[in-house]
Amino acid sequence: MVSPIKQEAVMKRTLLSLIALGAFVTSFAGTIVKEVMDPPKIWVYQNGDRTSNPSCLGTGDPCATEYYLNANGSLGAPICDVRYGVRTN
Amino acid sequence: MEYLCDMKMRQHTVVIYVLLIIALLGVFAYFCAMKLRHHAAFEEGLALAPQLPKAAAPYLAWIIPLLCFAVSALIIYGCVQPKLLTLGLWIYLALMLLFTGFIGYILLHPKEAPCECLGLDENWSWKKHLWVNTGILFITGLAIWLHYKRIVATIGNEDSENP
């Protein structure tokens, strides 16, 4: 026979577990939905080449800028914050 | 009266503890979602990182988010089994120390810096990553401390086992 105190403790722990699961699922799904809804972006090197992931290793200088990508494949507005828009890796 | 004050304080601490756990899970959920959604870019970024062997990149690109998933599952299930929660929180802390150490190394060796796509958010600078990671480390430490104060292990259960 399980005591009522023990039963209550199990119930509260289960509730806490469900809250934690809910938080994880909400955060995961929310991030995926936000990412899917976000307009596509593309990185463009100084010479005009496009890439999803620029490599500027060792240069120490800005070498690529990120742009929004229009539906027809042309470049849209640059993502204006220079600190974020240019990779100096 | 003293007993009532103690109860109220305890309830507040439980709420803080639950919020900390939710925040930690939220961070890993965000990280997993970002790394799985941008899996190709993450793998490329790992391959380009000079600190990591290039051949390991395809494996690491899966292992890192899956490990975060596993730790999150451990923490979620650990709410029912406090011993698993203890394990989950310590692994979480170890992973965060590893990630923060990696960022610290990058900031000390800027010439070898890989792209920010390896971090929590590809739009953050490595310096911002360091601040955010330090904050997460603090939150994890606080959650572990509260855990050892038996806050969750004893919710409504005064005779429960140690966490």
Side-chain angles (χ1 to χ4, degrees):
Chain A
M1 177 77 182
V2 183
S3 74
I5 294 174
K6 195 96 180 169
Q7 262 184 337
E8 193 190 334
V10 170
M11 204 179 75
K12 283 184 177 174
R13 285 179 190 179
T14 308
L15 181 67
L16 180 59
S17 184
L18 288 175
I19 291 170
L21 180 65
F24 185 85
V25 171
T26 307
S27 178
F28 186 85
T31 306
I32 294 285
V33 169
K34 184 194 156 287
E35 284 295 306
V36 170
M37 305 264 282
D38 262 3
K41 298 166 194 168
I42 191 83
W43 286 93
V44 181
Y45 284 113
Q46 302 290 37
N47 65 6
D49 288 349
R50 296 182 185 192
T51 176
S52 62
N53 193 19
S55 170
C56 310
L57 198 65
T59 62
D61 300 318
C63 78
T65 308
E66 197 174 23
Y67 289 83
Y68 287 113
L69 196 60
N70 295 326
N72 61 6
S74 64
L75 291 181
I79 296 169
C80 47
D81 190 329
V82 172
R83 190 172 53 129
Y84 297 158
V86 179
R87 284 189 177 164
T88 56
N89 53 321
Chain B
M1 187 67 187
E2 200 177 311
Y3 172 75
L4 287 176
C5 280
D6 189 44
M7 283 291 286
K8 204 167 181 180
M9 191 135 164
R10 207 178 127 126
Q11 278 175 350
H12 286 162
T13 318
V14 170
V15 170
I16 291 168
Y17 179 83
V18 172
L19 289 177
L20 291 178
I21 294 289
I22 288 173
L24 293 179
L25 286 171
V27 169
F28 264 21
Y30 177 78
F31 179 79
C32 289
M34 290 294 278
K35 295 312 161 203
L36 293 177
R37 171 91 180 111
H38 301 288
H39 183 260
F42 183 47
E43 188 181 325
E44 273 182 64
L46 286 169
L48 292 169
Q51 300 85 357
L52 302 166
K54 197 174 178 177
Y59 305 104
L60 285 175
W62 283 111
I63 289 169
I64 294 170
L66 289 180
L67 193 62
C68 293
F69 253 123
V71 174
S72 301
L74 208 58
I75 291 174
I76 291 166
Y77 188 61
C79 292
V80 185
Q81 294 285 336
K83 280 177 184 167
L84 288 181
L85 185 54
T86 312
L87 182 68
L89 287 173
W90 278 112
I91 298 176
Y92 194 107
L93 184 74
L95 281 175
M96 286 313 301
L97 280 171
L98 196 70
F99 295 154
T100 310
F102 184 67
I103 294 169
Y105 178 86
I106 287 166
L107 285 171
L108 288 173
H109 302 85
K111 283 274 178 194
E112 296 175 34
C115 71
E116 284 93 352
C117 55
L118 297 184
L120 191 60
D121 189 306
E122 63 176 11
N123 291 327
W124 294 350
S125 66
W126 284 118
K127 213 167 188 175
K128 187 171 178 181
H129 268 112
L130 186 69
W131 281 111
V132 172
N133 273 38
T134 308
I136 298 168
L137 272 176
F138 176 74
I139 290 173
T140 315
L142 195 58
I144 290 173
W145 182 68
L146 288 178
H147 184 70
Y148 275 100
K149 296 272 281 182
R150 299 186 61 185
I151 295 301
V152 153
T154 57
I155 296 174
N157 182 18
E158 304 308 322
D159 60 349
S160 73
E161 72 273 32
N162 281 321

